[in-house]
Amino acid sequence: MMRHFIGLLILPLFSFHFGESQTQQLPKDYFVNPLDIDLILSGTFGELRSNHFHSGLDIKTNQRTGAQVHATAAGYVSRIKIERYGYGKALYITHPNGYTSVYAHLEKFAPRIEAYVKKKQYEKESYTIQLFPNDLELRVDQGEVVAYSGNSGGSGGPHLHFELRDAAARPMNPMMLGIQVPDSRPPLVKQVKVYPLDESSTIDGENKPKLLRIIPMKGGRYKVESFRAYGEIGIGVNTNDQQDGAYNQNGIYNVCTTFNGSKNFEMTFDKYAFSETRYINQMIDYEHFKNTKSRIMKLYVPKGSPLSLYEDHVNDGVLQLYEDGATHTYQIQIKDYQGNLSQIDMSITNDSIPSELYVDANPNLTFVSHSQTYSQKYGPFGLTIPKGALYENALLDITQQGDTLKIHEDLIPLHKNMHISFELDAKVQDNLNQYYIGRVTDWGAVYHVNTKRKQNKLTASTRTLGTYAISKDDTPPTISPVNFDRNAWISWNKTLKIKIADADTGVDGYRATVNGKFILMEYDYKTGVLTHDFADGVVTDTENQLKVIVTDNVGNSTTFETTFYRKS
């Protein structure tokens, strides 16, 4: 691969006034690929993910860690963040044109950056850390190795997560900025669904959504079965794209619809603001996703949605079908960034007006307004669903029995946290510190929700409807050595590895010392292993007293102590 290098010696000639407005012209020749391999993706920009749009490209690294990661352009390291979950080890580089590049799920940083980070971690005595170097501390050349790819944080396998953000910190589609990914295949069409959007609308005579049978044609074309409809109707599609060299299905770039030959709706995955990302749950058929794990995107604008991904549309993309007997053509065109096209054609016939309205009159359901805060007591529980938490008004199944509160099912999305409280008055003779609010799964397991206690009251906040129960964790974490034995000589070990776990509420914190001195231990939550690198140079004695303390999320604590020996 050919690379264009900008030497550090000319960096001072740049005016580093970061954050100033950018030119209107996108800098398509400014950035280079961050890896020395052809780019094969496991994730595209804007791809539909759980509770968010994907903000970059996931680049495959042949199922291995340790690939050299290059600065996509000259600039300076402006942020370094290390966390257990999320991006894991992440590096941010700010460039003279106002853009910032992001490299995440890293294994480690390049030596001078790694040394900078380690120094700060030991000063803070913490593995997790966030740093903001100034523009003189860690300048980099275009093409310079700044890190090595990994599998840290919430990564599902070895890869590099790569982003480009503009001066307003909005993630941009890197393909718009010159990052090339081979793609000669048109998008795939998997499902098409039609929706009645109010109680007087019908699909084939019924006031409920309907999946339509898809008929594949040649050349990326599809037809769907014809249907009858009355009233306000919306269409949805489940679609994915495959780039060359990859079998996994990624996100598309653009979808556009026409109604009777006129443009009706368009959405393009080119850029968005992070504040918008959770509106994905309003954009997709959330209930369908929760029931089937497949995402159907709505080809109309839901009421109140602020998504900037929406472009031209007529009547928010909603079809208004009232003229009895009229027949319409509706077409969906789906493109990837390289312009490969798939097309869906359908025919819709207006139905007659329904003889009666559909009204859900279930007296056991509770009406909760989108525009007003709902607050109610349920025995020892308190429940508050704030104004704007629901995208629209809803009828919820809310019931309490003993120490369990059912708040509907996770079939309706929440945009804001709801708040649950529980009075512990009946348990005051017990250790109140060990109680927590947990979410009960369909299979009966209870997962800890971040819970606070003030006197005899527990409180927790969550954006997931479902069943919640009061649980108790009186079992401390477990600690066991992985690559050494107690009282053993480990002179040839490069690392010290310890496995930690907590079955009930999970590990909250840990601290390790040798001979009373703090040692840095990297925590991989996916394997539950703490790792200390002896190259840090902290352990210098022959006889060493190791002490590891681990606490769980309700404060139970376990201490592990042993002696090990190394040649000094």
Side-chain angles (χ1 to χ4, degrees):
M1 171 183 289
M2 294 293 294
R3 292 191 174 277
H4 302 287
F5 293 92
I6 300 177
L8 279 173
L9 291 176
I10 68 170
L11 273 173
L13 299 178
F14 284 108
S15 178
F16 277 83
H17 296 295
F18 295 101
E20 293 183 354
S21 61
Q22 298 163 202
T23 60
Q24 295 298 313
Q25 185 71 32
L26 290 175
K28 292 189 176 182
D29 297 322
Y30 193 89
F31 302 104
V32 299
N33 289 352
L35 296 176
D36 274 327
I37 55 176
D38 289 334
L39 301 190
I40 299 176
L41 304 184
S42 58
T44 49
F45 180 85
E47 190 171 291
L48 310 183
R49 300 283 180 91
S50 292
N51 300 315
H52 70 285
F53 299 103
H54 191 232
S55 56
L57 303 180
D58 282 345
I59 305 171
K60 293 188 175 188
T61 55
N62 298 318
Q63 291 298 310
R64 294 193 296 267
T65 62
Q68 291 184 343
V69 176
H70 302 266
T72 190
Y76 74 96
V77 177
S78 55
R79 183 184 180 194
I80 301 167
K81 187 175 184 180
I82 298 177
E83 56 186 340
R84 297 186 199 172
Y85 313 109
Y87 281 1
K89 294 184 179 182
L91 187 73
Y92 299 69
I93 298 175
T94 297
H95 307 287
N97 66 348
Y99 282 77
T100 297
S101 55
V102 183
Y103 315 78
H105 304 306
L106 302 170
E107 180 180 57
K108 60 183 178 180
F109 306 107
R112 68 186 177 102
I113 301 174
E114 186 80 8
Y116 177 91
V117 173
K118 282 280 182 79
K119 182 176 183 293
K120 300 294 186 180
Q121 286 175 313
Y122 272 99
E123 288 175 358
K124 188 182 176 184
E125 296 192 354
S126 174
Y127 168 67
T128 59
I129 198 167
Q130 185 163 204
L131 305 169
F132 297 93
N134 65 45
D135 62 356
L136 298 177
E137 290 185 278
L138 294 172
R139 290 193 173 189
V140 297
D141 287 347
Q142 183 178 57
E144 179 181 339
V145 175
V146 293
Y148 298 86
S149 68
N151 187 30
S152 60
S155 170
H159 74 281
L160 173 67
H161 174 88
F162 173 70
E163 296 178 21
L164 290 173
R165 301 179 184 179
D166 68 8
R170 293 177 301 183
M172 306 280 290
N173 191 331
M175 295 186 197
M176 297 168 55
L177 301 170
I179 303 300
Q180 297 298 315
V181 179
D183 186 356
S184 59
R185 293 187 271 184
L188 305 170
V189 175
K190 302 168 74 173
Q191 292 173 308
V192 175
K193 196 171 183 178
V194 58
Y195 301 86
L197 298 182
D198 58 31
E199 66 275 4
S200 64
S201 300
T202 60
I203 308 296
D204 287 336
E206 296 186 292
N207 183 252
K208 62 182 183 181
K210 180 179 180 179
L211 278 171
L212 302 176
R213 182 169 58 91
I214 299 174
I215 306 165
M217 312 291 282
K218 292 182 179 180
R221 297 178 70 99
Y222 299 81
K223 293 182 70 174
V224 298
E225 62 175 306
S226 301
F227 62 93
R228 296 176 290 109
Y230 175 86
E232 294 204 339
I233 303 300
I235 308 293
V237 64
N238 177 7
T239 179
N240 295 104
D241 189 42
Q242 286 182 306
Q243 285 78 40
D244 295 352
Y247 293 100
N248 50 284
Q249 297 178 11
N250 301 323
I252 62 161
Y253 175 66
N254 172 273
V255 58
C256 181
T257 71
T258 60
F259 183 59
N260 293 330
S262 298
K263 192 171 183 179
N264 179 248
F265 172 89
E266 186 172 10
M267 178 186 295
T268 302
F269 294 92
D270 51 6
K271 62 180 179 296
Y272 65 90
F274 281 111
S275 60
E276 302 176 52
T277 193
R278 195 170 177 87
Y279 284 98
I280 187 176
N281 290 332
Q282 186 185 27
M283 191 203 81
I284 66 169
D285 183 338
Y286 188 83
E287 181 174 351
H288 180 87
F289 167 64
K290 287 297 178 177
N291 285 327
T292 68
K293 303 306 178 188
S294 61
R295 294 181 176 91
I296 292 177
M297 69 172 71
K298 300 171 184 176
L299 303 181
Y300 56 92
V301 182
K303 291 181 180 179
S305 175
L307 279 180
S308 60
L309 297 169
Y310 298 127
E311 296 189 43
D312 297 336
H313 51 78
V314 176
N315 193 37
D316 290 336
V318 174
L319 307 183
Q320 295 183 323
L321 308 176
Y322 294 106
E323 184 183 347
D324 190 11
T327 298
H328 310 277
T329 59
Y330 185 84
Q331 186 180 88
I332 306 170
Q333 290 192 341
I334 305 164
K335 296 179 183 178
D336 57 31
Y337 188 77
Q338 301 300 332
N340 300 301
L341 173 69
S342 292
Q343 182 171 300
I344 307 166
D345 294 296
M346 64 179 72
S347 176
I348 309 169
T349 301
N350 282 19
D351 210 344
S352 57
I353 185 171
S355 59
E356 59 183 3
L357 299 181
Y358 173 81
V359 179
D360 189 343
N362 189 332
N364 296 319
L365 300 181
T366 300
F367 174 80
V368 180
S369 171
H370 153 77
S371 59
Q372 295 181 344
T373 295
Y374 175 85
S375 188
Q376 190 61 264
K377 292 283 291 183
Y378 292 88
F381 284 97
L383 172 64
T384 299
I385 302 176
K387 172 184 176 180
L390 290 165
Y391 293 110
E392 57 189 31
N393 299 338
L395 292 171
L396 303 183
D397 179 10
I398 307 176
T399 56
Q400 174 261 333
Q401 184 174 6
D403 287 355
T404 300
L405 179 66
K406 178 184 178 182
I407 314 167
H408 206 73
E409 298 176 74
D410 185 18
L411 300 176
I412 298 175
L414 291 179
H415 192 74
K416 298 179 181 178
N417 282 330
M418 64 178 178
H419 310 291
I420 305 169
S421 64
F422 184 84
E423 301 290 346
L424 289 165
D425 295 345
K427 307 181 188 297
V428 291
Q429 302 303 318
D430 209 342
N431 183 351
L432 300 186
N433 289 326
Q434 295 177 332
Y435 283 95
Y436 65 96
I437 297 173
R439 185 168 186 273
V440 183
T441 66
D442 293 339
W443 56 93
V446 180
Y447 284 90
H448 173 266
V449 177
N450 187 26
T451 304
K452 297 179 181 179
R453 182 177 70 84
K454 186 175 182 180
Q455 297 179 340
N456 295 346
K457 187 176 184 179
L458 298 178
T459 58
S461 298
T462 177
R463 287 190 284 194
T464 305
L465 297 178
T467 300
Y468 292 84
I470 304 307
S471 299
K472 182 182 180 182
D473 178 5
D474 55 9
T475 304
T478 59
I479 306 174
S480 56
V482 174
N483 65 342
F484 68 99
D485 296 319
R486 289 177 179 270
N487 302 307
W489 282 86
I490 54 172
S491 299
W492 300 108
N493 282 27
K494 294 183 178 180
T495 60
L496 189 71
K497 293 180 180 289
I498 295 172
K499 188 174 182 64
I500 63 176
D502 187 82
D504 291 334
T505 56
V507 171
D508 177 50
Y510 64 91
R511 179 178 173 83
T513 60
V514 169
N515 301 328
K517 185 185 301 184
F518 169 82
I519 62 168
L520 184 67
M521 299 204 81
E522 180 172 330
Y523 180 43
D524 181 356
Y525 83 93
K526 295 190 286 288
T527 61
V529 173
L530 297 175
T531 302
H532 172 70
D533 188 348
F534 284 122
D536 287 358
V538 179
V539 179
T540 57
D541 294 340
T542 300
E543 181 176 336
N544 298 281
Q545 306 299 319
L546 172 67
K547 183 177 183 179
V548 181
I549 302 172
V550 179
T551 56
D552 64 21
N553 277 290
V554 297
N556 296 311
S557 177
T558 298
T559 300
F560 172 86
E561 295 184 271
T562 191
T563 301
F564 66 86
Y565 299 89
R566 285 175 64 82
K567 291 181 180 179
S568 57

